[in-house]
Every structure is written in C-alpha cells, then in structure tokens.
Amino acid sequence: MLAVLVAARVLPSGRSPRAAGQALDAPGAALVTAAIAAAVLGLSVVAERPTGWAGWAMLVGAALLLVVFARHERRTARPLLPGHLVAQRGVRGGNLTAVALTACTSPAMLTVVRYVQEQLRLPPARASLLFPAFNVAVVAGALAGPRLLPRLGTRTLLLMGFAAVTAETVLLLTLPDRGLRLATLLGSFALMGGGLGVASLASTAAGTADVAADDQGVAAGLLASSAQLGTAVGVAVVTPLVAGAATGGYRLGFLAATVMAVAGVAASLIAPGKRVGEVSDAARRRDPRAGAPSAPSCAPRSAAERRR
C-alpha cells in the first residue's frame, strides 16, 4: 500500500505517444505462455522418464506453439515482441545469458539445500546458517559490477561471472558423501554469488544498451521473463535427476549446473563487447536521444529482483 501511494505521488502520469492507445497482444501472450509452460513441463517429464513419449510430445507441442507465436507476431499490427528488438545482438546476448545464469545457479543452490539436509543430515535451522554467505556474495558482486562495467565491457564481465559460476559448480562436485567441508562450501558460495551478481548486471546492460527509449520497457520485461524461464527450466531438469538418484546423486545436479554454466560462457560471446557510454550508430538512428545506456543505474536492482 505504501508503494502504491508513493508511486501515485512521484511517478509521471503522462504516456508516450506510442503507448497511448496501444492494446495488449492477448493472443500472442497466450501463445507464448502456453509454449513456455509446455516446454518446462516437458523437460521435467523427460528428465524423469527419458524413454517415455509424454514429455517428448509436450516438447514438440511447445515448439509448434512457438512457431505459431512467431507467425502471429509478424502479422499483428502491435506485436508483443517486436521483431526489430529480437534482431539486435545485444538483446539476444543479454537474454540468452539471463536464461543460462538462472538455469545454472538456481538448481545448484537447490541441490546444495538437499545435500546439506538429506546427505549430511543437518537440521534445517543449522543448515540455514550456511546460506547468508551466498547472499552477501551476490550483493558484493552487484555492487562491484557498476565499477567494473565501464572498464571491462559487458562481454568480459559476463565471461568473468560465468567463469566464477562454473568454477563454483566444479568445486561443489568435490563435496564428500559424509562430513561437512565448510571451507569448500563457503568458497563455492562466494564464487557463485559474486559471479551471479556481476553477470546479472552485465546481462541487463547487454540487453538494454542499444534499445531505443520506447522499447526499454519491453526489453526490461523480456530480460525478467528470460531469467524466470531459466530458473524454471533449470529446476525442471535437475530436480528429477537428483530425486531419482541413489546416494551421491546430488552430484548429477551439480554436473547439470556445470553444463548450463558452460553454455552461459558460450552465450556470453554473443553479447556486444562495448563499454558503458558506447552507443551504436544503429541505436542512435532508432532513437536520436540515445546516450549512455541506463543499465548501470538499475542493474543492481535487476540483479536482486531476478534472484528473488
């Protein structure tokens, strides 16, 4: 309620000419939502029963729904996802890295929770004392990101972040079946948290830097959706692997997270390598007002929101 009252007082009430009278693309929203739901459910079923037909049928249905969605978006007057936005390299790189980042970190942390409670038999209250270290590392990475981004550029910062996350998942693979290696666990939390913080900021910068002012809302929403999709896909794939394995099966979860982190390294190469303040000529042609990208000012907030 307090947020509503403050927003009503401080936020501007006017709308841009483009937003005025713009209707929601309800058919497009329904198609893409159904496609994502079918894909996540299908991946979960396939991970649990690879030889069954139901999961594969869901994945085929999801692919068909995406094809129908793409055709609809090309024909509608006001598409939910404008084609010129998806065609931008920065948008593609930012969203692919957002998916990969949450797809590797979310299931890795979920597997750690299961490891300390089910494998090490730690009580929930005692196990919970381990995880603030991860949260502190995320905040530290998010705070360091704005200082590193102007010097290193988005691609380098993404590669650094995913390298740290990959090192963390490899480190988790060395955890023993019995006995708590506190230094190993806390060290992995520091690597993953710091990597998540800086990579999340860099993916936000990559996905919004060259976007015209009128498309910033769509680009930000797309990044948030990609991050949520990555979490859903990662958990859907890893949870059946860990739950269906015998003692030591948590290593399957860490191994799957490692594979997703390596995929994130590859996705980082798609992102533009420019530093803050370098706006492409194409962005200036789309929006003469384009200057320095706004991502650094909002990226720490985006990183926190996406992690939640």
Side-chain angles (χ1 to χ4, degrees), residues 24-261:
L24 173 66
D25 179 16
L31 285 169
V32 73
T33 301
I36 292 174
V40 172
L41 182 58
L43 286 170
S44 180
V45 173
V46 167
E48 187 174 359
R49 294 187 295 274
T51 58
W53 62 269
W56 295 107
M58 293 176 193
L59 293 178
V60 171
L64 292 176
L65 286 171
L66 286 176
V67 171
V68 175
F69 170 72
R71 289 174 61 87
H72 169 76
E73 293 297 285
R74 287 197 297 267
R75 295 177 179 179
T76 187
R78 295 187 177 94
L80 181 71
L81 192 59
H84 69 269
L85 187 66
V86 182
Q88 296 180 41
R89 179 179 178 181
V91 172
R92 293 198 304 272
N95 281 273
L96 286 175
T97 52
V99 170
L101 187 59
T102 53
C104 62
T105 55
S106 296
M109 289 303 297
L110 179 61
T111 305
V112 170
V113 172
R114 299 192 62 157
Y115 166 75
V116 296
Q117 292 194 42
E118 298 175 6
Q119 194 71 27
L120 301 184
R121 307 295 183 184
L122 292 182
R126 183 180 173 189
S128 66
L129 298 177
L130 300 171
F131 294 95
F134 169 74
N135 299 323
V136 170
V138 173
V139 173
L143 292 176
R147 295 174 175 82
L148 297 174
L149 189 60
R151 303 174 184 177
L152 302 177
T154 53
R155 186 188 303 147
T156 301
L157 203 59
L158 279 169
L159 290 171
M160 288 175 56
F162 276 107
V165 172
T166 304
E168 170 268 340
T169 56
V170 172
L171 191 60
L172 289 175
L173 284 168
T174 67
L175 290 174
D177 293 339
R178 293 289 183 270
L180 176 61
R181 288 184 182 173
L182 189 59
T184 301
L185 196 59
L186 295 181
S188 66
F189 284 175
L191 284 170
M192 182 166 61
L196 173 63
V198 298
S200 180
L201 182 142
S203 69
T204 300
T208 57
D210 285 344
V211 176
D214 287 343
D215 289 329
Q216 285 287 335
V218 178
L222 184 59
L223 281 167
S225 300
S226 296
Q228 296 299 323
L229 175 61
T231 296
V233 169
V235 172
V237 170
V238 170
T239 301
L241 294 176
V242 178
T247 302
Y250 61 88
R251 288 195 178 89
L252 290 175
F254 297 144
L255 182 60
T258 302
V259 172
M260 295 176 190

